[in-house]
Amino acid sequence: MGRIAYVNGRFVPHGQAVVHIEDRGYQLADAVYEVWSLFDGKLADAEGHFARLERSLEELRIAMPMSRRALTLVLREAVRRNRVRDGLLYLQVSRGVAPRDHAFPGDEVRPAVVITVKAIDRAAAEAKAAKGVGVVTTPENRWGRCDIKTVGLLPNALAKQKAKEAGAAEAWFVDELGFVTEGASSNAWIVDTDGRLRTRDTNANILRGITRHTLLEVIAGEGLAVDERPFTPAEASAAKEVFITGAGALVLPVVAVDGRRVGDGTPGPLATKLRRLYIERVRAGAV
Ligand code: PDD
């Protein structure tokens, strides 16, 4: 059975799913998105992603295309029609279709909604996590509102390509003070030389990761503390452990920073444990 996409009220075969050439997401990146991981065909961390979607839309003054309840039903139907158990669901909401003009169109223009679902190979993802991945660093060059999850991802795409060409899985942006902000599609963490968990605070210009947020709760549940304080790439290379979090990565151990091995070059015990605990938690709470 082929993949099915949702475009503005219709489920259509993936290969025939199209948006208008004057969709403002396409021309102006005037659109936001969310990504949910799927466990057993259910949405993980559902509430957090819905709340951030609503916030992103509000910040850009784009209307919620439908109620959260109705949207939940559409997302579930998209998963069902694709028969995906383990995977990722992508939702994009643009300001809509209107003749090209930088300023907003009138209220008669309705937001445009696109949903895609893809399966992932959980065993392959676990094998990747068991081996760990590399990250490279790159100068921060994004706009000042990275807290809004917009599709304006060109700097992120360029950074990810740089990582790929270096044989790494993720790129970390580094600000003008020399501190890591976050990854191209994940948040960044270390277990520093004192054994303290550290991740950048959300007053910085970063996305407030839903995985990050849930993991903070998991960590608190383990009786561990987190220092929400920036770190440099040098501190990361010297750290006991390094990992990244995100709907795609979940909790993914990092074993090299800019080609320098972290620890003994294998995934750290805490990162490995936190991955397991995070997955257990979201799997149990998926809806
Ligand atoms: N990216 N930082 C950035 C820049 C991101 O794009 C993402 C997620 C995260 C982690 O956020 P969360 O834990 O809510 O997924 C942090 C998604 C997965 C993507 O672009 O595909």
Side-chain angles (χ1 to χ4, degrees):
M1 196 199 68
R3 291 175 69 194
I4 305 289
Y6 174 93
V7 186
N8 293 324
R10 290 204 181 89
F11 285 101
V12 287
H14 195 268
Q16 292 161 33
V18 291
V19 294
H20 195 278
I21 55 166
E22 288 196 310
D23 186 296
R24 289 177 62 92
Y26 176 62
Q27 289 189 326
L28 301 161
D30 189 2
V32 305
Y33 75 105
E34 275 299 330
V35 178
W36 282 261
S37 58
L38 300 168
F39 288 89
D40 307 321
K42 294 190 194 143
L43 300 162
D45 261 338
E47 165 69 28
H49 288 283
F50 276 118
R52 187 174 61 193
L53 171 70
E54 287 166 0
R55 179 180 178 278
S56 293
L57 290 169
E58 210 171 287
E59 290 292 321
L60 299 182
R61 293 195 276 147
I62 299 174
M64 227 348 223
M66 59 188 98
S67 69
R68 192 193 279 205
R69 204 182 141 79
L71 187 56
T72 306
L73 293 176
V74 174
L75 299 189
R76 284 207 188 123
E77 182 62 12
V79 176
R80 195 189 66 78
R81 289 192 186 221
N82 283 281
R83 298 181 195 201
V84 166
R85 306 296 299 164
D86 292 316
L88 291 169
L89 183 145
Y90 177 85
L91 165 73
Q92 177 171 324
V93 182
S94 84
R95 197 179 303 279
V97 175
R100 186 172 183 275
D101 180 3
H102 291 67
F104 298 174
D107 288 343
E108 72 284 0
V109 172
R110 303 300 307 153
V113 182
V114 168
I115 300 166
T116 58
V117 182
K118 76 172 178 193
I120 60 154
D121 180 344
R122 191 69 71 199
E126 287 310 315
K128 184 176 168 188
K131 198 159 163 255
V133 300
V135 300
V136 296
T137 59
T138 196
E140 179 64 85
N141 59 357
R142 299 174 300 159
W143 75 323
R145 291 304 307 272
C146 294
D147 58 307
I148 308 173
K149 198 164 174 59
T150 81
V151 302
L153 292 173
L154 185 54
N156 307 58
L158 295 174
K160 196 72 105 176
Q161 180 61 21
K162 179 177 171 178
K164 188 177 172 186
E165 287 171 12
E170 179 60 302
W172 279 355
F173 292 109
V174 178
D175 68 17
E176 71 283 5
L177 296 174
F179 293 109
V180 174
T181 51
E182 63 179 330
S185 63
S186 61
N187 290 112
W189 301 66
I190 62 170
V191 180
D192 69 17
T193 47
D194 295 329
R196 288 186 72 84
L197 276 160
R198 270 163 73 182
T199 191
R200 185 113 200 205
D201 67 277
T202 51
N203 292 320
N205 183 33
I206 64 169
L207 186 75
R208 295 164 193 177
I210 304 306
T211 316
R212 175 190 183 285
H213 181 81
T214 299
L215 192 65
L216 285 173
E217 292 180 358
V218 168
I219 291 165
E222 290 298 292
L224 296 172
V226 176
D227 204 354
E228 293 188 57
R229 186 159 58 90
F231 53 83
T232 64
E235 283 178 292
S237 322
K240 289 195 160 102
E241 300 186 32
V242 177
F243 58 96
I244 56 176
T245 58
L250 304 175
V251 178
L252 186 59
V254 171
V255 293
V257 176
D258 282 333
R260 280 188 293 278
R261 211 168 67 175
V262 174
D264 65 1
T266 64
L270 186 53
T272 302
K273 180 176 172 191
L274 292 177
R275 178 180 177 87
R276 179 175 58 75
L277 293 176
Y278 174 79
I279 291 174
E280 277 171 17
R281 169 156 169 162
V282 294
R283 192 188 278 283
V287 297

